[in-house]
Amino acid sequence: MTVTEALEIVQHAPRSAPSYRAFLICGFTPIHLKTFLQANLQQNLPDRRVEVGTGLFGDVAGSLEALEADAADAVALALEWQDLDPRLGYGNAGQWGLAAVADIVSIAQAMLHRIASAIERIATTIPVAISLPTLPLPPLFHTSSWQTSDAELSLDESLLSFRLRLAKQQPRSFVNAARLAEDSAPAGRLNLESDLAIGLPYTIPHAASLGNTLARLLVPPLAKKGLITDLDDTLWHGSAGEIGPENVSWDLAHGHQLHALYQKLVSAFADEGVLIGAVSKNDPAMVSEAFRRTDLLLPADRVFPIEVNWGSKSSSVERILRRWNVLADDVVFVDDSPMELAEVKLAHPGIESLRFPNDDHDACYALLRRLRDLFGKSRISGDDKLRPKSIRQPEPFEQAAGGAISEGFLQAANGIITIDLYPANDPRALELVNKTNQFNLNGKRHTIAEWSRAVSSPRGMLTAISYQDKFGPLGTIAVLQGRREGDGLDISTWVLSCRAFSRRIEHQCLKVLFDGYNARQISFDFVPTAKNGPMQDFFATFIGARPTGAVTLTRAQFEQHCPPLYHRVTEIPAREREKLQSA
């Protein structure tokens, strides 16, 4: 992105859209970095009007200390050496030399402590993205440039302690220095002339790279939910049907280590809660035998479903999407064949199609990195780990129901609803809200800051619901957020995971609200979207038609149309909730 392109993006931001207020805290003149940060945030938030404020020149700690958390949606901190002690910069008149070095280290350590304390105060409710010093230290130490001095090691140790102190809790995140170096070579970052003339130390390319990285940390893309992989010449080398399942390979001895690396990454994704499916034009018996091999790095029990047939791969992908009950937009498809990739992409335009390069090591490394970026998350929750197991649950549920969900079957399922009334912000609830599409009240996405302000307001309410039955646990599957209004409730957010369909959990959600808050009526900020058909159908059962706008249900309406509910309802005690939130 060039400066001109960044300015164009900023100038064409939607003026009437809700605002997103970010603060850029740095001790230098922020001109280009501010422009690139604002432009990248605007691209990441096309339905918002991004505004970026700045702190005081030369006073990072003071700017952070003066910032009120409710005045911002996010903070980006670009920390440089001179912010820790002016003598670590190039434009300061302070003396260098042996006598100054020990004092510089001591002052830098004290400043890092002060900055960390200020961040801890504001970062409980808003995200803070932090870039540690990216510019070279001035040549003030007694060692040659190819030798690290003891003072530099002390400064590095202080920065590491600073990072570890702040990295223990969300929503703080740090720029990956190694990744930034790939986009912005260290030798091309410092503009000494600009630094000495106007206090702007960054070259334009470095400001562009850092602005993009900080924006990604503050507004990361939603992680994909599932990966569908081809088998022959992708998960392993060779065709199981042609050379036999005992002869397909993925090890270094056969020269096919790239397939082993891919298997290890996909297996790690399964551990992290990513849904893994497989498609193959092959003999099902041969594939089953290959998956029974004990040296396979991706065991068969981590892959579900496995579609093996001689039909089109797009049809196999379609069946997996239906089985997972997810949209193609949330899924990545990997295959070694460009033709197969094109065929699947044509049938499912929203899917991310990536080619597995059999013999190109550089391209394979790029693929592994791309996959990690698509599925990367800042934290892995217990619900994430539960997802691959719970996605199998509907199958025995439906099989036991015999194709029709009868009253007797629902009663015998022994469903348990667990209610958690969150007194404060919890990232698990917001994550479910921002990634659910089909049973979603209005499709609105929320920033961490505005979500925290909404649920912590005097009349705010937030309820999360977990579910399990005799077929197994589904984890947290519903979130409702709104505010109390007299003898009623105004619900702004309601989502239900697709894993929980067909169990009347949505009806129990309403019953929880009516009973738990003794509400006479509930108003819903409903907005129809292209994806929330299940929510529209649900409301239609109460009001007689699919709604086109806000919906209000009285207790009498609910009780008249609500089918029998057989769940046992429990509530997490306050003490147990505190344990969960501190885990």
Side-chain angles (χ1 to χ4, degrees):
M1 184 185 294
T2 65
V3 174
T4 301
E5 291 169 340
L7 289 171
E8 184 79 7
I9 293 170
V10 171
Q11 290 169 359
H12 288 84
R15 299 303 170 191
S16 59
S19 65
Y20 177 89
R21 299 165 296 172
F23 273 85
L24 171 61
I25 306 296
C26 59
F28 50 85
T29 303
I31 301 173
H32 295 316
L33 182 58
K34 175 186 175 182
T35 301
F36 285 118
L37 175 64
Q38 186 170 357
N40 281 282
L41 285 173
Q42 189 64 66
Q43 283 190 323
N44 296 347
L45 295 166
D47 298 327
R48 302 295 184 102
R49 175 173 48 84
V50 175
E51 303 168 352
V52 177
T54 55
L56 299 174
F57 179 84
D59 190 5
V60 164
S63 297
L64 287 168
E65 290 165 345
L67 183 64
E68 295 297 330
D70 60 0
D73 290 292
V75 173
L77 170 60
L79 193 66
E80 290 297 343
W81 294 111
Q82 64 206 42
D83 300 318
L84 307 183
D85 187 302
R87 291 168 290 183
L88 292 175
Y90 291 87
N92 182 264
Q95 290 292 321
W96 292 350
L98 293 175
V101 170
D103 185 51
I104 288 173
V105 171
S106 177
I107 290 176
Q109 290 171 339
M111 183 58 70
L112 284 170
H113 175 74
R114 182 182 169 191
I115 292 171
S117 298
I119 292 173
E120 287 171 335
R121 178 185 63 85
I122 64 173
T124 57
T125 57
I126 60 175
V128 177
I130 303 168
S131 170
L132 298 181
T134 63
L135 298 177
L137 281 161
L140 63 89
F141 306 104
H142 64 84
T143 54
S144 54
S145 61
W146 55 81
Q147 179 181 353
T148 303
S149 69
D150 291 344
E152 289 174 280
L153 289 174
S154 295
L155 289 171
D156 288 341
E157 182 181 27
S158 299
L159 281 176
L160 179 59
S161 298
F162 170 83
R163 178 171 181 167
L164 291 174
R165 172 180 171 179
L166 292 178
K168 291 179 181 178
Q169 296 179 343
Q170 298 289 331
R172 305 159 197 152
S173 53
F174 285 84
V175 169
N176 186 316
R179 180 67 177 83
L180 180 65
E182 295 179 12
D183 296 329
S184 177
R189 296 175 177 180
L190 175 65
N191 186 333
L192 184 57
E193 180 181 4
S194 173
D195 187 16
L196 297 178
I198 60 173
L200 175 59
Y202 291 168
T203 61
I204 290 178
H206 182 53
S209 295
L210 186 57
N212 177 46
T213 302
L214 289 169
R216 283 175 175 265
L217 290 178
L218 293 177
V219 186
L222 289 175
K224 298 289 187 178
K225 296 179 181 179
L227 184 149
I228 300 174
T229 182
D230 174 46
L231 299 179
D232 292 341
D233 288 324
T234 299
L235 193 67
W236 50 63
H237 183 271
S239 170
E242 292 182 4
I243 65 175
E246 71 281 3
N247 293 317
V248 296
S249 57
W250 50 83
D251 54 38
L252 186 59
H254 292 85
H256 302 140
Q257 184 73 1
L258 297 183
H259 298 278
L261 294 174
Y262 177 61
Q263 286 185 30
K264 290 197 294 185
L265 182 61
V266 175
S267 183
F269 286 156
D271 278 347
E272 297 159 12
V274 176
L275 304 176
I276 307 298
V279 297
S280 180
K281 291 181 177 179
N282 219 319
D283 181 343
M286 295 293 100
V287 169
S288 296
E289 189 174 340
F291 268 109
R292 283 195 292 271
R293 285 181 52 172
T294 58
D295 56 339
L296 194 68
L297 302 176
L298 177 67
D301 61 3
R302 298 192 178 189
V303 186
F304 178 80
I306 301 175
E307 285 278 338
V308 183
N309 52 67
W310 298 107
S312 68
K313 287 189 177 177
S314 62
S315 298
S316 293
V317 168
E318 173 67 27
R319 286 189 289 273
I320 292 177
L321 295 177
R322 286 202 307 268
R323 188 68 190 83
W324 286 348
N325 201 7
V326 300
L327 301 173
D329 308 52
D330 297 320
V331 173
V332 178
F333 174 59
V334 180
D335 198 300
D336 66 296
S337 167
M339 184 182 71
E340 300 288 9
L341 291 169
E343 192 265 334
V344 169
K345 184 70 173 177
L346 181 64
H348 308 283
I351 205 166
E352 179 98 11
S353 294
L354 300 176
R355 181 174 177 267
F356 185 88
N358 269 297
D359 301 312
D360 187 333
H361 289 69
D362 290 339
C364 184
Y365 176 70
L367 171 67
L368 299 179
R369 289 282 299 272
R370 175 63 178 157
L371 288 172
R372 173 48 71 191
D373 287 344
L374 287 170
F375 292 100
K377 301 179 71 174
S378 60
R379 62 183 293 275
I380 303 297
S381 68
D383 286 334
D384 289 322
K385 297 176 184 178
L386 182 64
R387 187 175 301 110
K389 294 180 181 178
S390 67
I391 204 68
R392 297 173 182 256
Q393 196 203 103
E395 186 173 67
F397 184 91
E398 292 161 4
Q399 288 176 349
I405 309 298
S406 67
E407 298 299 316
F409 176 77
L410 286 174
Q411 189 171 11
N414 299 325
I416 301 174
I417 296 284
T418 303
I419 307 167
D420 196 353
L421 304 175
Y422 291 81
N425 184 33
D426 187 292
R428 291 173 294 183
L430 179 56
E431 182 182 342
L432 184 61
V433 168
N434 282 342
K435 71 180 183 181
T436 302
N437 294 302
Q438 298 178 75
F439 200 94
N440 188 315
L441 187 63
N442 45 41
K444 294 180 181 178
R445 308 306 187 192
H446 303 271
T447 67
I448 294 174
E450 65 187 11
W451 181 258
S452 179
R453 286 193 289 266
V455 302
S456 61
S457 64
R459 291 181 296 173
M461 55 79 60
L462 173 62
T463 300
I465 290 178
S466 301
Y467 176 84
Q468 68 177 41
D469 55 30
K470 69 179 184 181
F471 300 101
L474 295 184
T476 304
I477 44 81
V479 174
L480 302 103
Q481 177 270 326
R483 63 185 184 276
R484 289 160 287 184
E485 293 290 348
D487 61 354
L489 294 172
D490 285 350
I491 301 299
S492 303
T493 303
W494 183 13
V495 298
L496 176 70
S497 171
C498 58
R499 293 177 291 152
F501 289 176
S502 303
R503 292 167 171 81
R504 296 181 182 170
I505 296 173
E506 56 270 42
H507 299 85
Q508 192 65 258
C509 287
L510 291 184
K511 190 173 189 304
V512 164
L513 293 184
F514 277 115
D515 293 347
Y517 292 93
N518 194 27
R520 182 180 60 83
Q521 67 177 31
I522 304 176
S523 298
F524 299 89
D525 180 22
F526 174 77
V527 176
T529 72
K531 299 177 180 180
N532 68 358
M535 174 68 81
Q536 298 176 41
D537 291 338
F538 174 71
F539 278 131
T541 63
F542 291 94
I543 62 177
R546 279 189 163 198
T548 58
V551 174
T552 297
L553 293 181
T554 65
R555 179 185 286 271
Q557 278 179 296
F558 170 71
E559 292 176 346
Q560 178 183 356
H561 297 284
C562 181
L565 303 178
Y566 306 105
H567 316 102
R568 179 163 62 89
V569 180
T570 64
E571 183 177 342
I572 295 180
R575 182 177 300 176
E576 184 64 25
R577 185 186 309 123
E578 291 170 2
K579 283 184 185 178
L580 290 172
Q581 292 179 339
S582 63

